[in-house]
Amino acid sequence: MNIILLGPPGAGKGTQARILVDGRDMIQLSTGDMLREAKDSGSEMGRIVADVMARGDLVTDEIVIGLIREKLAGDKRGGFIFDGFPRTLKQADALAQLLDETGETLDAVIEMQVDDAALVARITARSTCGNCGEVYNDETKPIPADGVCTSCGTSAEFKRRADDNADSLKQRLMEYYKKTSPLIGYYYAKGQLSSVDGLADIDDVRAEIAAILG
Ligand code: AMP
C-alpha cells in the first residue's frame, strides 16, 4: 500500500508516518528529512538547498523528484508513506508517472486538516529526539526530565529545526497555500482524497487513518 500524507507544516504528518512505519512495516519517505540529511552531510546538493530551506521556500521539483525516484527503486516492504511530497502539481504528476513505471498504485491521500494558529503554536514548541525522531512539544509532551527519550530509550540530544521559527514558518505556510493546497483538489478529482482532523489527539488521528486504510 502506498499513501500520501498531505498537510501544512506542523499538521502531524511525521508523527503519523512514524506510527504507520511501526504498525504496518511501511517506509516513510520524507523529502524534508532527506534534504536535511543532505544539508548535514555537506554535499553539493545540501549546500544548494540550505538557504532555500532556511527561508522556508520550496526547493526545486527536479531535486525532490530525483530523491523520490531513487527511493522507489529500493526496498518497498509494506509500501511507502509519502510525507511532505508531493508539494506541487508537477511533483504530483511525476509521482503518478514513477508509480506507473514501477507497477505500483497510490492507495490513499490523507489530508490532515489544521488551522494556522494551532500550527504556529505547535511548530515553535516542537523538538525531536536526535536518535529516533520522536516528536516532543514543550506544552503537550515535554522532553522527559531525565533526558531519556520515551520512544527509543536513549539519552540522545533533542533537536529543534532551524526553520521552526516564526519568519520561516510564515513563508512555509505561504508556500503551502500557494503551491501545495491545489493538490487537495487534484486528488479529490481523482477520488483518492480523505481528510482527517489533524488537531485531534494523536491516537484519535491514528484511528481515523487506520479506518481509512482498512
Ligand atoms: P518538511 O520537513 O517537510 O517541513 O520540509 C522542510 C523544507 O524542505 C521545506 O520547507 C522545503 O524547503 C523543503 N522541502 C521538503 N520537501 C519538499 C518538496 N516535496 N518540495 C520542495 N521542497 C521541499
Side-chain angles (χ1 to χ4, degrees):
M1 175 181 313
N2 301 304
I3 67 167
I4 294 174
L5 295 180
L6 188 64
K13 303 185 295 294
T15 299
Q16 293 299 326
R18 290 165 48 75
I19 292 173
L20 290 165
V21 167
D22 290 344
R24 297 180 183 240
D25 193 31
M26 295 178 79
I27 297 176
Q28 177 185 12
L29 294 185
S30 158
T31 40
D33 285 350
M34 293 175 211
L35 292 165
R36 275 184 290 281
E37 267 166 37
K39 205 172 62 149
D40 293 347
S41 77
S43 69
E44 197 192 333
M45 192 239 281
R47 281 197 298 274
I48 293 171
V49 299
D51 287 346
V52 180
M53 291 175 75
R55 280 198 305 272
D57 291 335
L58 293 188
V59 310
T60 64
D61 289 329
E62 288 65 30
I63 287 180
V64 288
I65 292 166
L67 290 171
I68 290 289
R69 180 183 287 116
E70 261 176 46
K71 298 286 181 183
L72 292 190
D75 190 7
K76 293 185 172 47
R77 299 215 304 263
F80 296 111
I81 307 156
F82 298 97
D83 161 11
F85 179 93
R87 261 178 157 98
T88 63
L89 289 168
K90 187 163 172 201
Q91 291 177 23
D93 284 337
L95 178 61
Q97 196 183 334
L98 286 172
L99 290 173
D100 217 36
E101 281 167 14
T102 51
E104 298 280 319
T105 52
L106 180 61
D107 301 288
V109 179
I110 298 173
E111 180 207 359
M112 303 187 64
Q113 297 178 326
V114 274
D115 69 57
D116 285 5
L119 292 179
V120 177
R122 264 193 192 177
I123 284 203
T124 50
R126 168 164 86 173
S127 56
T128 55
C129 168
N131 181 50
C132 73
E134 182 73 1
V135 181
Y136 291 86
N137 178 291
D138 296 343
E139 304 298 324
T140 56
K141 186 180 169 188
I143 294 167
D146 60 3
V148 176
C149 174
T150 50
S151 176
C152 67
T154 64
S155 50
E157 194 191 336
F158 293 88
K159 297 182 181 170
R160 287 193 192 267
R161 278 173 48 170
D163 59 351
D164 276 352
N165 61 72
D167 280 348
S168 174
L169 177 59
K170 197 170 156 210
Q171 183 60 18
R172 284 155 69 200
L173 283 174
M174 292 220 308
E175 290 284 74
Y176 178 78
Y177 290 117
K178 260 194 302 194
K179 299 176 182 165
T180 308
S181 66
L183 297 182
I184 295 169
Y186 173 97
Y187 288 117
Y188 176 78
K190 287 177 184 279
Q192 289 175 309
L193 189 76
S194 303
S195 301
V196 299
D197 175 8
L199 287 181
D201 282 351
I202 291 176
D203 203 48
D204 292 339
V205 181
R206 179 202 59 73
E208 267 196 84
I209 293 177
I212 292 164
L213 300 183

